[in-house]
Amino acid sequence: MAVDNSAPLVDPYGRVVRDLRISITDRCNFRCTYCMPEEGMQWLDRAEILTYEEIERVARICVERYGFDGIRITGGEPTVRARLPLLIQRLAQLRVPATGAAVDLAMTTNGSSFALLAADLKAAGLSRVNISCDSLRPERFQALTGRGQLGRVLEGIDAARTAGFDPVKVNVVVMRGVNDDEMVDFAEFGRRQGVEIRFIEFMPLDAQGEWSMDQVVPAEEIVEAIGAVYPVEAVVQGSEPATRYRYLDGAGAFGVIASVTRPFCEGCDRIRITAEGQVRNCLFAVHETDLMTLLRSGATDDDIAAAIAGDVGRKWAGHSIGRVNFIRPARGMSQIGG
Ligand code: SAM
Ligand code: SF4
């Protein structure tokens, strides 16, 4: 096993940071109402986003220097980036110094091209996938995503299972008056298909800035609605943001991510890198650290590691959605990387 020279990266509140979310593009083939405006997105130029080499370098520094053991690829829509399996192959080579194990390499995707990519991504070393799908009704799905086709996403979910991803998770953002009548339908879909639904509370990261608290369906209400039909019990677990519930009849489990009503900031172990190489120490951070300039001006690995540590040194205790001191980030979810 390689020598372990890593030292944990600890934020001012004593939380060890070990999870890296990398947005590899700001582009997307969908226009989900809660994420992007229908028209007028200004995409970054190709030269303005991190290359695969630069992404790999930042990831390697986080893993080798600081012992990160989880990486999630996101966007925008990661599958719109060309030759994605090549990036996955490179990241899959990284080894966590303390254990010698590969990093837990995951991706979040809208699933529209996953049927074409699932086998290649699995072979390249992707370990886990979350596929987003907010309605099981074709017309509503199209209205919610602007231009998506439900059939293709369902094929993507099927392909993920066939390729051997296990568990396949399906992310559902629940919005009052939009899709909150489908919670039990999704539970049934998860039970039938053998996939784990992750219900997510709607967060104030919509590009239009129209979010309001009354559009949030609290996690508690989601669990009650499903539990009334299929009895569940909470699963005791570690630091992951989702609270998981197991069906008492043994037909699997689902999770709820209560970012708004029960923030999990005190267990937060992640940082993010945007497509243009900015470190964000929180989804709702108002400050970013510019790695892109460092990467393109001959900085050493030490310089980059120090910049990442400097950003983590500014990490706050937590966001304050719904309170008067909450500051909405200037960017929407697709630009930050969900
Ligand atoms: N395009 C990919 C996808 O949709 O899965 C990856 C990027 S997307 C920004 C990552 C996740 O963020 C998706 O599951 C999406 O549903 C979720 N998301 C986007 N905007 C959100 C919001 N305002 N509140 C809660 N979740 C949101
Ligand atoms: Fe695209 Fe994902 Fe945002 Fe939907 S949630 S617009 S699929 S980036």
Side-chain angles (χ1 to χ4, degrees), residues 27-28 30 32 34-35 73-78 108-111 130-134 171-173 200-206 211 259 333-334 337-338:
R27 297 183 188 226
C28 188
F30 284 9
C32 302
Y34 53 72
C35 180
I73 301 300
T74 180
E77 173 47 37
T108 307
T109 171
N110 66 26
N130 287 47
I131 297 182
S132 304
C133 179
D134 304 314
N171 287 4
V172 181
V173 179
I200 305 174
E201 288 179 349
F202 181 31
M203 294 184 279
L205 287 165
D206 54 315
W211 179 93
S259 333
M333 186 69 135
S334 67

Side-chain angles (χ1 to χ4, degrees), residues 82-152:
R83 301 190 307 281
L84 182 56
L86 281 185
L87 174 67
I88 299 299
Q89 214 169 41
R90 286 169 177 235
L91 297 176
Q93 308 302 317
L94 297 172
R95 292 289 172 271
V96 183
T99 59
V103 291
D104 176 29
L105 191 53
M107 185 169 94
T108 307
T109 171
N110 66 26
S112 58
S113 308
F114 208 73
L116 304 172
L117 283 164
D120 288 348
L121 291 172
K122 182 76 182 149
L126 187 68
S127 12
R128 297 189 296 121
V129 67
N130 287 47
I131 297 182
S132 304
C133 179
D134 304 314
S135 177
L136 294 169
R137 304 181 190 178
E139 281 168 23
R140 182 181 284 177
F141 182 88
Q142 192 165 9
L144 270 171
T145 57
R147 42 196 81 169
Q149 285 170 19
L150 177 62
R152 294 201 37 198

